[in-house]
PDB file of all heavy atoms in Angstrom:
ATOM      1  N   ILE A 246     -13.978 -13.387  -7.538  1.00  0.00           N
ATOM      2  CA  ILE A 246     -14.558 -14.714  -7.317  1.00  0.00           C
ATOM      3  C   ILE A 246     -13.464 -15.676  -6.906  1.00  0.00           C
ATOM      4  O   ILE A 246     -12.861 -16.356  -7.723  1.00  0.00           O
ATOM      5  CB  ILE A 246     -15.280 -15.221  -8.593  1.00  0.00           C
ATOM      6  CG1 ILE A 246     -16.327 -14.227  -9.056  1.00  0.00           C
ATOM      7  CG2 ILE A 246     -15.950 -16.566  -8.331  1.00  0.00           C
ATOM      8  CD1 ILE A 246     -17.014 -14.603 -10.352  1.00  0.00           C
ATOM      9  N   GLY A 247     -13.187 -15.717  -5.629  1.00  0.00           N
ATOM     10  CA  GLY A 247     -12.204 -16.672  -5.106  1.00  0.00           C
ATOM     11  C   GLY A 247     -10.796 -16.133  -5.048  1.00  0.00           C
ATOM     12  O   GLY A 247     -10.510 -15.012  -5.503  1.00  0.00           O
ATOM     13  N   PRO A 248      -9.866 -16.942  -4.511  1.00  0.00           N
ATOM     14  CA  PRO A 248      -8.486 -16.487  -4.276  1.00  0.00           C
ATOM     15  C   PRO A 248      -7.734 -16.109  -5.541  1.00  0.00           C
ATOM     16  O   PRO A 248      -7.935 -16.696  -6.620  1.00  0.00           O
ATOM     17  CB  PRO A 248      -7.840 -17.720  -3.611  1.00  0.00           C
ATOM     18  CG  PRO A 248      -8.978 -18.518  -3.043  1.00  0.00           C
ATOM     19  CD  PRO A 248     -10.115 -18.294  -3.981  1.00  0.00           C
ATOM     20  N   ARG A 249      -6.884 -15.066  -5.420  1.00  0.00           N
ATOM     21  CA  ARG A 249      -6.014 -14.624  -6.470  1.00  0.00           C
ATOM     22  C   ARG A 249      -4.575 -14.614  -5.921  1.00  0.00           C
ATOM     23  O   ARG A 249      -4.332 -14.066  -4.852  1.00  0.00           O
ATOM     24  CB  ARG A 249      -6.391 -13.225  -6.944  1.00  0.00           C
ATOM     25  CG  ARG A 249      -7.758 -13.140  -7.607  1.00  0.00           C
ATOM     26  CD  ARG A 249      -7.791 -13.845  -8.935  1.00  0.00           C
ATOM     27  NE  ARG A 249      -9.022 -13.620  -9.686  1.00  0.00           N
ATOM     28  CZ  ARG A 249     -10.092 -14.373  -9.593  1.00  0.00           C
ATOM     29  NH1 ARG A 249     -10.106 -15.413  -8.747  1.00  0.00           N
ATOM     30  NH2 ARG A 249     -11.171 -14.117 -10.301  1.00  0.00           N
ATOM     31  N   PRO A 250      -3.633 -15.223  -6.648  1.00  0.00           N
ATOM     32  CA  PRO A 250      -2.265 -15.283  -6.129  1.00  0.00           C
ATOM     33  C   PRO A 250      -1.505 -13.998  -6.402  1.00  0.00           C
ATOM     34  O   PRO A 250      -1.847 -13.222  -7.296  1.00  0.00           O
ATOM     35  CB  PRO A 250      -1.667 -16.435  -6.933  1.00  0.00           C
ATOM     36  CG  PRO A 250      -2.391 -16.379  -8.250  1.00  0.00           C
ATOM     37  CD  PRO A 250      -3.800 -15.950  -7.917  1.00  0.00           C
ATOM     38  N   GLY A 251      -0.482 -13.772  -5.601  1.00  0.00           N
ATOM     39  CA  GLY A 251       0.473 -12.697  -5.885  1.00  0.00           C
ATOM     40  C   GLY A 251       1.340 -13.074  -7.061  1.00  0.00           C
ATOM     41  O   GLY A 251       1.351 -14.221  -7.520  1.00  0.00           O
ATOM     42  N   LYS A 252       2.099 -12.120  -7.547  1.00  0.00           N
ATOM     43  CA  LYS A 252       2.943 -12.364  -8.714  1.00  0.00           C
ATOM     44  C   LYS A 252       4.036 -13.355  -8.372  1.00  0.00           C
ATOM     45  O   LYS A 252       4.798 -13.164  -7.418  1.00  0.00           O
ATOM     46  CB  LYS A 252       3.559 -11.034  -9.170  1.00  0.00           C
ATOM     47  CG  LYS A 252       4.305 -11.099 -10.491  1.00  0.00           C
ATOM     48  CD  LYS A 252       4.803  -9.722 -10.880  1.00  0.00           C
ATOM     49  CE  LYS A 252       5.513  -9.736 -12.216  1.00  0.00           C
ATOM     50  NZ  LYS A 252       6.010  -8.388 -12.617  1.00  0.00           N
ATOM     51  N   PRO A 253       4.190 -14.424  -9.154  1.00  0.00           N
ATOM     52  CA  PRO A 253       5.258 -15.408  -8.904  1.00  0.00           C
ATOM     53  C   PRO A 253       6.601 -14.882  -9.408  1.00  0.00           C
ATOM     54  O   PRO A 253       6.698 -13.750  -9.869  1.00  0.00           O
ATOM     55  CB  PRO A 253       4.775 -16.629  -9.724  1.00  0.00           C
ATOM     56  CG  PRO A 253       4.038 -16.016 -10.874  1.00  0.00           C
ATOM     57  CD  PRO A 253       3.350 -14.789 -10.317  1.00  0.00           C
ATOM     58  N   PHE A 254       7.609 -15.734  -9.310  1.00  0.00           N
ATOM     59  CA  PHE A 254       8.926 -15.332  -9.815  1.00  0.00           C
ATOM     60  C   PHE A 254       8.814 -14.941 -11.308  1.00  0.00           C
ATOM     61  O   PHE A 254       8.183 -15.652 -12.097  1.00  0.00           O
ATOM     62  CB  PHE A 254       9.940 -16.465  -9.686  1.00  0.00           C
ATOM     63  CG  PHE A 254      11.233 -16.183 -10.403  1.00  0.00           C
ATOM     64  CD1 PHE A 254      12.138 -15.277  -9.896  1.00  0.00           C
ATOM     65  CD2 PHE A 254      11.504 -16.809 -11.626  1.00  0.00           C
ATOM     66  CE1 PHE A 254      13.323 -14.995 -10.580  1.00  0.00           C
ATOM     67  CE2 PHE A 254      12.686 -16.526 -12.309  1.00  0.00           C
ATOM     68  CZ  PHE A 254      13.595 -15.618 -11.773  1.00  0.00           C
ATOM     69  N   SER A 255       9.390 -13.819 -11.650  1.00  0.00           N
ATOM     70  CA  SER A 255       9.375 -13.374 -13.042  1.00  0.00           C
ATOM     71  C   SER A 255      10.644 -12.585 -13.303  1.00  0.00           C
ATOM     72  O   SER A 255      11.272 -12.043 -12.394  1.00  0.00           O
ATOM     73  CB  SER A 255       8.148 -12.543 -13.352  1.00  0.00           C
ATOM     74  OG  SER A 255       8.136 -11.376 -12.540  1.00  0.00           O
ATOM     75  N   ALA A 256      11.015 -12.542 -14.564  1.00  0.00           N
ATOM     76  CA  ALA A 256      12.223 -11.810 -14.969  1.00  0.00           C
ATOM     77  C   ALA A 256      11.931 -11.038 -16.238  1.00  0.00           C
ATOM     78  O   ALA A 256      11.153 -11.484 -17.090  1.00  0.00           O
ATOM     79  CB  ALA A 256      13.387 -12.771 -15.213  1.00  0.00           C
ATOM     80  N   SER A 257      12.516  -9.854 -16.334  1.00  0.00           N
ATOM     81  CA  SER A 257      12.366  -9.069 -17.554  1.00  0.00           C
ATOM     82  C   SER A 257      13.719  -8.439 -17.894  1.00  0.00           C
ATOM     83  O   SER A 257      14.501  -8.069 -17.024  1.00  0.00           O
ATOM     84  CB  SER A 257      11.314  -7.973 -17.375  1.00  0.00           C
ATOM     85  OG  SER A 257      11.698  -7.057 -16.357  1.00  0.00           O
ATOM     86  N   LEU A 258      13.960  -8.297 -19.168  1.00  0.00           N
ATOM     87  CA  LEU A 258      15.172  -7.724 -19.676  1.00  0.00           C
ATOM     88  C   LEU A 258      14.804  -6.714 -20.749  1.00  0.00           C
ATOM     89  O   LEU A 258      13.923  -6.961 -21.590  1.00  0.00           O
ATOM     90  CB  LEU A 258      16.100  -8.808 -20.306  1.00  0.00           C
ATOM     91  CG  LEU A 258      17.433  -8.335 -20.902  1.00  0.00           C
ATOM     92  CD1 LEU A 258      18.323  -7.802 -19.811  1.00  0.00           C
ATOM     93  CD2 LEU A 258      18.109  -9.510 -21.632  1.00  0.00           C
ATOM     94  N   GLY A 259      15.381  -5.514 -20.693  1.00  0.00           N
ATOM     95  CA  GLY A 259      14.992  -4.497 -21.649  1.00  0.00           C
ATOM     96  C   GLY A 259      16.042  -3.464 -21.880  1.00  0.00           C
ATOM     97  O   GLY A 259      17.120  -3.472 -21.267  1.00  0.00           O
ATOM     98  N   ILE A 260      15.695  -2.555 -22.768  1.00  0.00           N
ATOM     99  CA  ILE A 260      16.560  -1.409 -23.094  1.00  0.00           C
ATOM    100  C   ILE A 260      15.830  -0.135 -22.707  1.00  0.00           C
ATOM    101  O   ILE A 260      14.644   0.056 -23.004  1.00  0.00           O
ATOM    102  CB  ILE A 260      16.880  -1.374 -24.612  1.00  0.00           C
ATOM    103  CG1 ILE A 260      17.693  -2.636 -24.999  1.00  0.00           C
ATOM    104  CG2 ILE A 260      17.693  -0.124 -24.956  1.00  0.00           C
ATOM    105  CD1 ILE A 260      19.071  -2.689 -24.391  1.00  0.00           C
TER     106      ILE A 260
END
Side-chain angles (χ1 to χ4, degrees):
I246 304 175
R249 295 291 188 270
K252 188 177 182 180
F254 170 75
S255 61
S257 63
L258 179 66
I260 297 294

